[in-house]
Amino acid sequence: MSVVPALTPEGLLAHWQGHRRLTRRTIEAFPDEELFGFTAGGMRSFGAIMDEVVSLTEPLLHGAATGEWSWPPRGAGTGSTTREALLEALERADAAIAETLPRVAPERFLAHDTPVPGRTESVIATLLYFIDNEVHHRGQGYVYLRLLAIEPPPFYVR
Amino acid sequence: MSVVPALTPEGLLAHWQGHRRLTRRTIEAFPDEELFGFTAGGMRSFGAIMDEVVSLTEPLLHGAATGEWSWPPRGAGTGSTTREALLEALERADAAIAETLPRVAPERFLAHDTPVPGRTESVIATLLYFIDNEVHHRGQGYVYLRLLAIEPPPFYVR
């Protein structure tokens, strides 16, 4: 393929890992009891939201690598209910990114799959969708921190 | 260059434009008086935050296209203080994306620039940073909407 890339596989890995570092700092910014205890506007706790985000990492990587897509039941998460457990789940998910993403065959990124029924798109679109989902929910965590009068970590540090 | 791309310039355009459509729907979900009137946790209104995000679009595109980077004074925004003005500014910014991004020379995306002093990175990293910044702040808007007991637009519709 002679297309000049806008983003390389290595660039995608660095992009995602940068976000993961910021996600970790955001989780760590919550006091223990507030991570799964504080809510606002009828939403879930930041811990519960991030536990679901983290739980989708390995199914996402598996689908990207193999074209076989399957997801845990909606809202299942990893079952983490403490900061320690969530940070451990995050560490396992981050290890899966570091191991699996570099092994995705480069031609997979522009291949079209159907990761969920009725939605056919390029694998890179699916990957970016889930990274964006993490950014979106982490932004919500920043509001929770502000409501708790806690300064969130700087967005520009990755 | 023989690298297989993870993302093409056309894919990047579609990705950004999808986010812009969701950003528009999020702005439209706010009642007129709450867009610039409602705040939480000591943060700015969603209108003020998004006005700043929108104001950075054209400097970002100009830098990506030319390598000449300059930014408006921090917090200046477009000066919009009503929903109508903000939606007009968004429309102008979206037109700039549609016009300028396809004219960025493909080899620019992986070129390294210094968009702000002390920060040297690929042009694609800078572009993704600002798209992520929009996603991050839009996620904050979702919390504001929830606090106002308003259902935000579905995240998966672009």
Side-chain angles (χ1 to χ4, degrees):
Chain A
M1 194 177 294
S2 65
V3 177
V4 177
L7 179 68
T8 62
E10 294 74 23
L12 175 66
L13 176 63
H15 178 68
W16 197 356
Q17 290 180 323
H19 276 306
R20 278 296 161 105
R21 288 190 290 272
L22 181 53
T23 294
R24 171 170 292 269
R25 281 194 288 273
T26 306
I27 292 169
E28 289 172 341
F30 276 80
D32 261 335
E33 66 276 18
E34 306 291 12
L35 182 60
F36 286 91
F38 180 79
T39 66
M43 299 170 66
R44 292 175 293 167
S45 70
F46 186 64
I49 293 172
M50 276 298 134
D51 187 56
E52 182 170 10
V53 167
V54 167
S55 76
L56 300 174
T57 309
E58 292 188 60
L60 173 62
L61 289 162
H62 182 76
T66 65
E68 296 161 8
W69 296 94
S70 78
W71 303 100
R74 186 170 168 80
T78 72
S80 303
T81 56
T82 65
R83 183 160 76 164
E84 188 181 356
L86 177 58
L87 289 172
E88 282 173 11
L90 183 69
E91 193 168 323
R92 286 193 299 275
D94 287 354
I97 293 171
E99 183 178 325
T100 305
L101 195 65
R103 292 160 60 182
V104 173
E107 60 274 19
R108 285 283 302 146
F109 293 104
L110 299 186
H112 278 65
D113 276 8
T114 304
V116 292
R119 181 164 171 160
T120 298
E121 62 188 14
S122 62
V123 170
I124 183 65
T126 304
L127 287 163
L128 290 176
Y129 179 87
F130 281 96
I131 297 171
D132 291 340
N133 188 51
E134 178 176 339
V135 174
H136 170 80
H137 286 306
R138 193 179 58 212
Q140 300 179 332
Y142 274 51
V143 184
Y144 281 19
L145 286 169
R146 290 287 184 195
L147 290 169
L148 291 164
I150 295 167
E151 176 87 13
F155 183 73
Y156 56 85
V157 176
R158 297 292 161 84
Chain B
M1 195 178 291
S2 64
V3 177
V4 177
L7 179 68
T8 62
E10 294 73 23
L12 175 66
L13 177 62
H15 177 69
W16 197 356
Q17 290 181 323
H19 276 307
R20 278 296 160 104
R21 288 191 291 271
L22 181 53
T23 294
R24 171 171 292 269
R25 281 194 289 274
T26 307
I27 293 169
E28 288 171 344
F30 276 80
D32 260 335
E33 65 277 18
E34 307 291 11
L35 182 62
F36 286 92
F38 181 79
T39 65
M43 299 169 66
R44 292 175 293 165
S45 70
F46 186 64
I49 292 170
M50 276 298 134
D51 188 56
E52 183 170 10
V53 167
V54 167
S55 76
L56 301 174
T57 309
E58 292 189 59
L60 173 61
L61 289 163
H62 181 77
T66 65
E68 296 161 6
W69 297 92
S70 77
W71 303 99
R74 186 170 169 78
T78 72
S80 303
T81 56
T82 66
R83 182 160 77 164
E84 188 182 356
L86 178 57
L87 289 173
E88 284 175 8
L90 183 68
E91 193 170 322
R92 286 192 298 276
D94 287 353
I97 293 171
E99 184 179 324
T100 305
L101 195 65
R103 291 160 61 181
V104 173
E107 61 273 18
R108 284 284 300 147
F109 293 105
L110 300 185
H112 279 65
D113 276 8
T114 304
V116 292
R119 180 164 172 159
T120 298
E121 62 189 13
S122 63
V123 170
I124 183 65
T126 305
L127 287 164
L128 289 176
Y129 178 87
F130 281 95
I131 296 171
D132 292 339
N133 188 52
E134 179 176 337
V135 174
H136 169 80
H137 286 306
R138 194 181 55 211
Q140 300 179 330
Y142 274 51
V143 184
Y144 281 19
L145 286 170
R146 291 286 184 197
L147 290 169
L148 290 164
I150 295 167
E151 177 87 12
F155 183 72
Y156 56 86
V157 176
R158 295 295 161 82

